[in-house]
Amino acid sequence: MHYAVPVTVLPANLANNPVIVPVHLAAGTLTDVNIIFPPGCARLVNIQIYHGVTQILPTTPETYYSEDSKEIHAKEYLRFDTGSNLFYVVGWNVGTSYQHRVHVYFDVRAVEELDLPETLMMMTEVLATLTNRIEGYY
Protein backbone atom coordinates (compact mmCIF):
# COMPACT_ATOMS: atom_id res chain seq x y z
CA MET A 1 0.00 0.00 0.00
CA HIS A 2 1.21 3.44 -0.84
CA TYR A 3 0.42 6.62 1.02
CA ALA A 4 1.10 10.18 -0.15
CA VAL A 5 1.15 12.90 2.49
CA PRO A 6 1.57 16.56 1.52
CA VAL A 7 2.97 18.69 4.33
CA THR A 8 2.51 22.44 3.86
CA VAL A 9 4.93 24.38 6.02
CA LEU A 10 3.84 28.01 6.40
CA PRO A 11 6.10 30.92 7.39
CA ALA A 12 4.31 30.89 10.78
CA ASN A 13 5.38 27.26 11.39
CA LEU A 14 8.56 27.90 13.35
CA ALA A 15 10.29 25.38 15.64
CA ASN A 16 8.00 26.32 18.55
CA ASN A 17 4.86 26.05 16.34
CA PRO A 18 5.42 23.18 13.87
CA VAL A 19 2.83 21.77 11.52
CA ILE A 20 1.91 18.24 12.62
CA VAL A 21 0.22 15.99 10.07
CA PRO A 22 -1.22 12.73 11.46
CA VAL A 23 -1.04 9.72 9.14
CA HIS A 24 -3.09 6.56 9.72
CA LEU A 25 -1.52 3.59 7.96
CA ALA A 26 -3.06 0.14 7.52
CA ALA A 27 -1.51 -2.61 9.66
CA GLY A 28 1.62 -4.11 8.13
CA THR A 29 5.29 -3.36 7.75
CA LEU A 30 6.64 0.06 6.83
CA THR A 31 9.28 -0.65 4.16
CA ASP A 32 10.13 2.68 2.49
CA VAL A 33 9.74 6.40 3.10
CA ASN A 34 10.44 9.04 0.46
CA ILE A 35 10.58 12.73 1.34
CA ILE A 36 10.61 15.16 -1.57
CA PHE A 37 11.68 18.73 -0.90
CA PRO A 38 10.59 21.17 -3.64
CA PRO A 39 12.82 23.83 -5.17
CA GLY A 40 13.11 26.96 -3.06
CA CYS A 41 13.30 25.37 0.40
CA ALA A 42 16.96 26.41 0.62
CA ARG A 43 17.43 23.90 3.47
CA LEU A 44 15.26 26.08 5.69
CA VAL A 45 12.33 23.62 5.89
CA ASN A 46 12.80 20.78 8.38
CA ILE A 47 10.97 17.43 8.52
CA GLN A 48 10.80 14.65 11.12
CA ILE A 49 8.68 11.48 11.14
CA TYR A 50 7.30 9.92 14.32
CA HIS A 51 5.59 6.64 15.13
CA GLY A 52 3.50 7.60 18.13
CA VAL A 53 5.93 9.59 20.29
CA THR A 54 9.08 7.90 18.94
CA GLN A 55 11.06 9.61 16.19
CA ILE A 56 11.77 7.06 13.45
CA LEU A 57 13.25 9.32 10.77
CA PRO A 58 15.90 10.55 10.83
CA THR A 59 17.06 7.69 13.01
CA THR A 60 19.15 9.93 15.25
CA PRO A 61 16.83 11.56 17.81
CA GLU A 62 16.37 15.34 17.67
CA THR A 63 17.77 15.58 14.13
CA TYR A 64 15.78 16.44 11.01
CA TYR A 65 15.87 16.40 7.23
CA SER A 66 16.25 19.71 5.40
CA GLU A 67 17.04 19.89 1.69
CA ASP A 68 16.31 21.81 -1.49
CA SER A 69 15.11 20.18 -4.75
CA LYS A 70 16.03 16.75 -3.47
CA GLU A 71 14.40 13.42 -2.71
CA ILE A 72 15.42 11.55 0.42
CA HIS A 73 14.85 7.81 0.24
CA ALA A 74 14.88 5.93 3.55
CA LYS A 75 14.62 2.14 3.75
CA GLU A 76 12.72 1.17 6.84
CA TYR A 77 11.56 -2.08 8.43
CA LEU A 78 8.98 -1.34 11.08
CA ARG A 79 6.13 -3.75 11.85
CA PHE A 80 2.97 -2.36 13.41
CA ASP A 81 -0.64 -3.42 13.88
CA THR A 82 -3.92 -1.56 13.95
CA GLY A 83 -3.35 -0.51 17.57
CA SER A 84 -0.14 1.31 16.69
CA ASN A 85 -0.72 2.59 13.17
CA LEU A 86 -0.63 6.33 13.88
CA PHE A 87 2.35 8.20 12.44
CA TYR A 88 3.10 11.93 12.42
CA VAL A 89 5.01 14.11 9.99
CA VAL A 90 6.32 17.20 11.76
CA GLY A 91 7.54 20.19 9.75
CA TRP A 92 8.81 23.66 10.54
CA ASN A 93 10.93 26.34 8.95
CA VAL A 94 13.82 28.54 9.93
CA GLY A 95 12.99 31.99 8.66
CA THR A 96 11.26 31.41 5.31
CA SER A 97 9.02 34.02 3.74
CA TYR A 98 6.89 31.64 1.68
CA GLN A 99 5.00 28.42 2.26
CA HIS A 100 6.57 25.18 1.04
CA ARG A 101 4.87 21.85 0.37
CA VAL A 102 7.00 18.81 1.14
CA HIS A 103 5.68 15.45 -0.09
CA VAL A 104 6.16 12.36 2.04
CA TYR A 105 5.45 8.89 0.61
CA PHE A 106 5.04 5.78 2.74
CA ASP A 107 5.19 2.20 1.42
CA VAL A 108 3.55 -0.39 3.67
CA ARG A 109 3.59 -4.12 3.04
CA ALA A 110 0.30 -5.67 4.15
CA VAL A 111 0.21 -8.24 6.95
CA GLU A 112 -0.68 -11.05 4.54
CA GLU A 113 2.32 -10.32 2.28
CA LEU A 114 5.37 -12.37 3.21
CA ASP A 115 8.84 -10.96 3.01
CA LEU A 116 11.87 -12.97 1.83
CA PRO A 117 13.06 -14.25 5.26
CA GLU A 118 9.53 -15.37 6.20
CA THR A 119 9.12 -17.11 2.83
CA LEU A 120 12.45 -18.93 3.17
CA MET A 121 11.58 -20.01 6.71
CA MET A 122 8.21 -21.35 5.57
CA MET A 123 9.82 -23.23 2.66
CA THR A 124 12.38 -24.76 5.04
CA GLU A 125 9.62 -25.97 7.36
CA VAL A 126 7.68 -27.49 4.44
CA LEU A 127 10.79 -29.28 3.16
CA ALA A 128 11.56 -30.63 6.65
CA THR A 129 7.99 -31.94 7.02
CA LEU A 130 8.13 -33.49 3.56
CA THR A 131 11.49 -35.14 4.33
CA ASN A 132 10.11 -36.62 7.56
CA ARG A 133 7.07 -38.06 5.77
CA ILE A 134 9.21 -39.56 2.99
CA GLU A 135 11.56 -41.12 5.56
CA GLY A 136 8.50 -42.58 7.32
CA TYR A 137 7.64 -44.63 4.26
CA TYR A 138 11.05 -46.35 4.08
Side-chain angles (χ1 to χ4, degrees), residues 62-103:
E62 299 181 19
T63 60
Y64 48 84
Y65 293 119
S66 60
E67 281 298 335
D68 185 41
S69 302
K70 187 171 181 173
E71 177 179 347
I72 296 174
H73 179 78
K75 296 293 279 179
E76 189 66 38
Y77 189 83
L78 177 64
R79 290 183 178 188
F80 57 92
D81 58 19
T82 55
S84 61
N85 63 345
L86 185 58
F87 289 76
Y88 297 97
V89 180
V90 178
W92 70 94
N93 74 73
V94 184
T96 61
S97 300
Y98 304 99
Q99 73 177 18
H100 298 278
R101 180 170 290 164
V102 177
H103 294 276

